[in-house]
Amino acid sequence: MSKILVTGALGQIGSELTMELRSIYGTDNVIASSRRKKEGQERVIESGPFEVVDVTEGEKLADIVKKHKVDTIVHLAAILSAVGEEKPHQAWNINMNGLYNVLEVGRQENCSIFTPSSIAVFGPSTPKDKTPQDTIQRPETMYGVTKVAGELLCDYYFKKFGVDTRGVRFPGLISHETLPGGGTTDYAVHIYYDALKHGKYTCFIKKGTYMDMMYMPDAIDAIIQLMQANPDKLIHRNAFNVTAMSFEPEDIAAEIKKHIPEFEMDYDVDPVRQAIAESWPNSLDDSAAREEWGWNPKYDLSKMTKDMLEKLKIKLNK
């Protein structure tokens, strides 16, 4: 990687990944892009090259790749699970047509491509515990459908055209930098903010609902490690299970209470997001990622909670 374009660079992953890539590869060598500028994201926008581009506009995307002589595209622009159920047509358009355009540009301009998949590719018929790398994928959300199709499309572009495509299946991601954008696992971020701001949190996911999660520093490491990995050792390429921890809402509340003893949590379950959560695995088997490119997360629930609360206290002036 010498010239990297990041789509969706102002989102939850992109805002942190862009800054990390710039620290590794040089400010001028990492081009951030988004379909519009966002208030509060001046650090990403002003710290290096930035382009306004909608990934559904293939010609404009190609022009930017040529302009900056891009050799690697990290494609993060997407509509997430909960928003995707509200706007399925928009989710299909951005998630599928956007990815198709990125792959086409990659084919034409000889770019390597990373695009994340998700635990949303799994559904009720998938084995729930230690979900295998290769297993049944019958999702019941538009987001999940687009992610399964995306995995297959990336495989196709690698096998048919030799495009160097790579990706992971992310679990829920937790970050102190940027709020998530409409996913089912968002409660695991909001709970920390409300614990510090109000001393209480109303959870939209019910008790006993296990989901895989990951702290953002591990997610950033996963992307960079996979893109730097020896391609000869990659068997799965576009859909590696990765995980760091699996917990239910009570677990994260109990961990927060170790630091904020007066913290309280109650429940007001959102039936849409609860149904999505119940269709997803309780835990993933990430042995393929560990074997093929050395995946090894650094954060568990305890270590993440300590770091989240420390960082958010500074951010929120608490």
Side-chain angles (χ1 to χ4, degrees), residues 229-270:
N230 182 348
D232 296 336
K233 295 184 178 180
L234 301 181
I235 299 169
H236 292 89
R237 300 194 69 88
N238 295 304
F240 285 99
N241 284 354
V242 289
T243 186
M245 61 194 92
S246 177
F247 55 76
E248 57 187 339
E250 304 97 291
D251 293 332
I252 195 170
E255 201 62 42
I256 289 172
K257 284 176 75 72
K258 293 178 183 178
H259 302 269
I260 308 173
E262 65 275 18
F263 175 69
E264 296 179 357
M265 184 171 74
D266 59 12
Y267 296 84
D268 183 13
V269 176
D270 173 0

Side-chain angles (χ1 to χ4, degrees), residues 162-181:
V163 178
D164 183 3
T165 55
R166 308 184 187 195
V168 299
R169 292 176 182 141
F170 275 132
L173 297 179
I174 300 171
S175 169
H176 58 80
E177 285 283 350
T178 305
L179 286 168

Side-chain angles (χ1 to χ4, degrees), residues 211-230:
M211 285 186 281
D212 271 69
M213 301 281 181
M214 183 183 294
Y215 197 28
M216 189 61 76
D218 279 332
I220 300 303
D221 283 349
I223 294 172
I224 295 171
Q225 286 171 19
L226 178 55
M227 289 306 289
Q228 292 176 338
N230 182 348

Side-chain angles (χ1 to χ4, degrees), residues 144-164:
V145 169
T146 64
K147 286 301 178 182
V148 172
E151 290 182 4
L152 296 172
L153 193 59
C154 287
D155 282 344
Y156 178 82
Y157 266 75
F158 169 65
K159 292 173 183 174
K160 180 77 172 179
F161 303 117
V163 178
D164 183 3

Side-chain angles (χ1 to χ4, degrees), residues 280-299:
W280 289 355
N282 297 330
S283 61
L284 298 176
D285 177 357
D286 61 358
S287 56
R290 291 174 182 270
E291 291 166 7
E292 293 178 39
W293 49 276
W295 165 241
N296 187 25
K298 299 181 179 71
Y299 287 88

